[in-house]
Amino acid sequence: MINRSSRKSAHWLAVILVLAVCTVATLRANGEGGKQASRADTYRVLLVGDSWAEHLWNAESLRTVFAENGYTGILEKGDKTAIGGTTASEWQTEPFLLMIDDELDENPSIDIVHISLGGNDLLAGQAGNGWSADLSDEDEQALFDRIVGDIDTVVDRALDARPDVQVLLTAYDYPNFEDSLDGSEYSCWLIWLNAGHPTTLELNNALIGLEAEITAYAATKDRVTFVSTLGLMQYWYGYPSQNIDPFTITPPGDPSLPTPPEAMDSDGDDCIHISDQGYYYMALNCFDKFYKDALGPRPAAPAGFLVY
């Protein structure tokens, strides 16, 4: 016979085994990166484009902001379509466009395509038919037109997939080729020299010019929204070395200043990308200006949880 103590031991052993099996199954389902959706999660956003899309994906910036604002379980997806270093000119070709088709076909719950493109085309410099400080006004305008035309091809592919798809276009914040050139990122020197060693104001004005073209383009398209992030890091961080406090400079910021090094990746050595905290602020900005309306009513909270 099995006594009561033995029955209790057997019961708890069975519980432990079930929990262990469930844990292993969950880990396998989530994969090494732990970013796969669970049964309760829903993909709503497809991240498409360059390293700024990729950083948002890697840092889980959007899903963090969504959850903090009551959209628990609403996820972004970017494992196949957020590719650092890519350009709008690459994305407007059929192999890249097919990736968008495939992701939207395989994930019918996705109804927002969040696109970040154009920065690498701009920063290709003299060697890559991009922007440089010695471009004439006519050549600069031709460059902007080409970039926007390529972005339009990508946008139309997303919109043509389904009538419920919306497109969010985002751009960039100011680079920092002042502090970063004293750091360890040799690539920053190469980008800066290839752009004709521009001043901060020259390069920032080029970025402002491209953003103005994208803004005007988005205004002509149904189901397309553009959200600016220029000056966002100056707002959140100020510029400590210039004795400028946070929340002093409001977007679109001061184009005579770069993004402060405190907001840049690699402890300020990166000249292009902001930190994970910076991408969180970018995601929060996108939520305030687009996602809080585009996502619709918040999902019902599980029993026992409060949503503020």
Side-chain angles (χ1 to χ4, degrees), residues 11-215:
H11 169 76
W12 285 111
L13 178 59
V15 170
I16 291 170
L17 288 172
V18 169
L19 290 174
V21 169
C22 290
T23 300
V24 170
T26 299
L27 290 172
R28 286 178 177 172
N30 287 345
E32 187 175 334
K35 289 191 178 183
Q36 297 300 314
S38 73
R39 290 177 182 270
D41 293 332
T42 304
Y43 287 128
R44 291 284 306 277
V45 179
L46 181 67
L47 285 168
V48 171
D50 55 29
S51 56
W52 281 59
E54 185 179 47
H55 277 262
L56 283 173
W57 165 246
N58 288 335
E60 301 186 1
S61 309
L62 287 174
R63 68 181 62 187
T64 299
V65 168
F66 293 164
E68 290 175 351
N69 286 275
Y71 289 89
T72 304
I74 301 299
L75 304 181
E76 76 285 19
K77 193 175 191 296
D79 53 322
K80 298 177 182 178
T81 53
I83 308 171
T86 53
T87 62
S89 63
E90 290 173 319
W91 274 97
Q92 62 90 32
T93 64
E94 196 63 20
F96 282 86
L97 295 172
L98 284 172
M99 288 194 287
I100 298 174
D101 294 343
D102 290 344
E103 285 293 86
L104 293 177
D105 286 344
E106 295 170 9
N107 299 278
S109 62
I110 290 177
D111 56 356
I112 298 169
V113 179
H114 182 146
I115 299 173
S116 171
L117 284 172
N120 288 320
D121 304 80
L122 190 77
L123 293 174
Q126 296 164 327
N129 296 317
W131 183 88
S132 65
D134 58 357
L135 278 185
S136 67
D137 291 344
E138 292 77 11
D139 287 341
E140 182 181 74
Q141 186 61 53
L143 172 64
F144 293 163
D145 291 344
R146 173 166 59 84
I147 293 172
V148 172
D150 290 340
I151 291 173
D152 179 51
T153 300
V154 181
V155 168
D156 280 347
R157 193 61 165 254
L159 294 176
D160 289 345
R162 291 196 309 269
D164 66 317
V165 170
Q166 299 185 70
V167 169
L168 171 63
L169 291 173
T170 57
Y172 312 91
D173 207 344
Y174 300 122
N176 187 323
F177 286 95
E178 293 185 12
D179 304 280
S180 63
L181 296 184
D182 296 328
S184 59
E185 293 290 334
Y186 182 61
S187 61
C188 292
W189 276 100
L190 295 178
I191 296 171
W192 183 70
L193 292 172
N194 191 31
H197 41 84
T199 65
T200 292
L201 183 59
E202 286 175 327
L203 184 54
N204 286 350
N205 278 337
L207 199 61
I208 290 170
L210 175 60
E211 180 167 300
E213 296 294 326
I214 298 174
T215 302

Side-chain angles (χ1 to χ4, degrees), residues 270-291:
D270 195 314
C271 47
I272 303 296
H273 307 102
I274 54 180
S275 64
D276 284 356
Q277 184 68 44
Y279 284 106
Y280 168 83
Y281 291 138
M282 181 180 178
L284 187 62
N285 181 59
C286 290
F287 181 83
D288 288 339
K289 294 180 179 178
F290 174 77
Y291 281 112

